[in-house]
Amino acid sequence: MGIPYYYSLRNLWTRRLTTILTASGMALVVFVFASILMLAEGLQKTLVDTGSYDNVIIIRKASKSEVQSGVERGQASVIEVQPEVATGADGQRLLAKELVVLISLPKRGTDKPSNVVIRGTSEASLKLRPQIKIIDGRMPRPGSSEIMAGQSIARRFKGGGIGETLRFGMRDWTVVGIFDAGNTGFSSEIWGDVDQLMQAFRRPVYSSLTFKLREPSEFEEFKTRIESDPRLTVEAKRETQYYREQSEMMAKFLRILGMSLTVIFSLGAVIGAMITMYAAVANRVSEIGTLRALGFQRRSILGAFIMESLFLGLIGGGVGLFFASFMQLITISTMNFQTFSELAFSFTLTFGIVYRALLFSLFMGLVGGVLPAVRASRMNIVDALRAG
Amino acid sequence: MENNKPLIVQIRDLYKSYRRGAQIIPVLENITLDIQEGEFLALMGPSGSGKSTLLNLIAGIDGADSGNIKIGGVEITSLSETELAHWRANNVGFIFQFYNLIPVLTAFENVELPLLLTGLSKKERREHVAVALRVVGLSDRIDHYPGQLSGGQQQRVAIARAVVTDPTILVADEPTGDLDRVSAREVLDLIGRLNTESGKTIIMVTHDPRAAERAHLIKHLDKGVLHEDTKASL
């Protein structure tokens, strides 16, 4: 048996102030680390939740997003009659031909313009996204200049509230409804009648087609057939896959940013831990001599000091995560580079992030503690005892 | 002391020197010494005479340049560092001048420490610690930290720690050096009792003639050379 763990813990407690200061440095790093991962996670989760697994989205081949895509009316009609498209209770096909346009709207408060997605929708659009609920007002009437806005838009953009008017496509549009799309990208969109919007923006083609699969397992077969059909220049993706791809670039950017920041910060924290642990070793030289004289092996001493440093890291990690968890209360919006549109999302803490943050804090503790621990374990017993 | 008791410590032709820069300073020269089981030996001598060095060599925490030390039949000069640590845990009880208790551990935990290196169960360890603390008269202080105890009490905890594993030899380096007269007497009484009542072999380094008086045998070291025995006037 080695030196008991409470020896390490109590030593940290004995020099509380140093422990707190050193752990705070680590906590700060873990906070940054966890926050950025939470940000990337929140972004990804928001976009992935936007899609549902049994929905298929059709866009023009090689276009990365709906904004770049165009599906001609003729092609849309071919796809509409495919047998895999599910039929609703009313006998109508659950397929929405949609238009996606980006416009610039001023934000409330600052007047700063930002890009917003306008989605031209058809009757099936809402049925395909059961997570969307009208929370105020009503649906826009087909064939009119009425629109409805997602909650994030209503809150953050000028003219987005119910009863207000927005001007785009050389027309005034009245907001008649506000919808809640939960934690999805639709919350940052404005919806209106697809035909009206196509006229207003002078668009002859749809941006995308979305439909529900009759049988989710039929997707692969459908995709192969559609993509090899010589009449069509489209590709099919599961909606979940499509939105995951939408978030990839941004999430990757955030993660790289996070990692770079963390690596730089952690150098400071590791040096802090190292200084603390060297001081701890220097203050306990005769104790180390005593333990060795009593018969504890070098590796036990090494273990005890590394344990102490790991605890130090763990305290920092715990505190950092504790504060990072409050970030979940914050919703932020930013430009998604891939779609060039504004997207609102929250910091999301997952078990994976907790695990990685704690692992990272332990790693900092280990790196900071290993050299001092080696020094402690290499001491000559007689010299160490004499130092007391 | 009877003379037919078995030898527990046998030292032959022991040399030890320290290096200071390019200079080699001899500390012990040609030491040969036998100690019988149950002996209470006091090593005396002026500062720098090498008495602590000799004690450290016997306790297995320092290495000799040449010569042999056999303790309880084990040639400790030929043990590896790991083996030596293992041997110390089972065979040597240490009593230091400044007690050397671990400040963050209670009296109980300090005494338990050497037992962690044995294969004893938690329950057995608890029993052994209770006995050791009873022997030194500190059963009512088991949850106290060293900082909450007087010097004399701390040294008694240290003695409990030294005897808890029932070691082959007890080595004491100036055990009363940091104590007032009353505490020193208590500690010496205790060490004396361990020798007379429990038959412990004790090797004690001291400056203090009152401490040396308690030993059966006094040996003087001067400039690294061991001088004739002086019988203590018991």
Side-chain angles (χ1 to χ4, degrees), chain A residues 1 4 6-7 10-11 14 287 290-298 381-382 385-386, chain B residues 56 61-62 81-82 85 88-89 94 100 102-105 109 112-113 116-117 125 145:
Chain A
M1 198 188 282
Y6 49 76
Y7 168 77
R10 284 191 208 154
N11 272 307
T14 305
E287 231 171 281
T290 307
L291 289 167
R292 294 270 286 119
L294 291 179
F296 286 98
Q297 304 279 0
R298 285 183 193 278
I381 303 176
V382 175
L385 284 171
R386 213 172 277 152
Chain B
N56 290 340
I61 57 174
D62 204 354
E81 197 186 77
T82 309
R88 282 197 302 273
F94 285 91
N100 288 33
I102 308 297
V104 297
L105 302 182
E109 289 160 348
E112 191 191 22
L113 211 49
L116 297 175
L117 295 162
R125 292 204 301 268
Y145 286 91

Side-chain angles (χ1 to χ4, degrees), chain A residues 149-273:
Chain A
Q151 237 180 337
S152 299
I153 296 291
R155 208 169 38 237
R156 297 198 342 271
F157 284 90
K158 247 184 195 163
I162 194 149
E164 295 183 284
T165 321
L166 287 170
R167 183 162 178 86
F168 55 83
M170 288 155 44
R171 270 206 234 172
D172 286 323
W173 304 78
T174 314
V175 181
V176 297
I178 305 293
F179 63 89
D180 173 16
N183 225 350
T184 68
F186 296 123
S187 284
S188 306
E189 291 184 357
I190 293 171
W191 285 17
D193 179 54
V194 65
D195 296 318
Q196 293 299 313
L197 286 163
M198 281 171 88
Q199 268 179 35
F201 288 106
R202 303 186 204 294
R203 294 281 180 101
V205 295
Y206 299 112
S207 298
S208 67
L209 264 63
T210 303
F211 71 88
K212 193 182 169 80
L213 280 168
R214 189 178 57 184
E215 189 58 56
S217 57
E218 288 175 338
F219 173 72
E220 290 304 327
E221 199 193 318
F222 170 79
K223 180 180 167 71
T224 319
R225 201 181 63 240
I226 280 293
E227 288 179 5
S228 56
D229 191 322
R231 293 171 296 173
L232 303 172
T233 51
V234 297
E235 61 181 314
K237 282 180 182 165
R238 281 198 195 271
E239 215 180 16
T240 43
Q241 174 65 26
Y242 170 78
Y243 283 108
R244 190 173 304 123
E245 284 170 11
Q246 296 295 292
S247 66
E248 238 152 43
M249 195 168 101
M250 186 77 173
K252 200 168 163 188
F253 168 75
L254 284 174
R255 289 206 175 97
I256 290 172
L257 176 78
M259 290 301 159
S260 327
L261 275 179
T262 311
V263 165
I264 296 164
F265 279 19
S266 67
L267 278 180
V270 163
I271 291 169

Side-chain angles (χ1 to χ4, degrees), chain B residues 124-170:
Chain B
E124 288 169 319
R125 292 204 301 268
R126 198 178 306 135
E127 286 164 4
H128 279 64
V129 174
V131 170
L133 281 169
R134 201 180 315 132
V135 168
V136 300
L138 286 174
S139 295
D140 55 339
R141 294 282 192 276
I142 57 169
D143 291 328
H144 286 55
Y145 286 91
Q148 298 167 314
L149 299 171
S150 72
Q153 288 172 328
Q154 289 191 50
Q155 191 60 299
R156 278 149 65 197
V157 172
I159 292 170
R161 181 179 66 186
V163 298
V164 74
T165 52
D166 193 19
T168 316
I169 54 169
L170 277 181

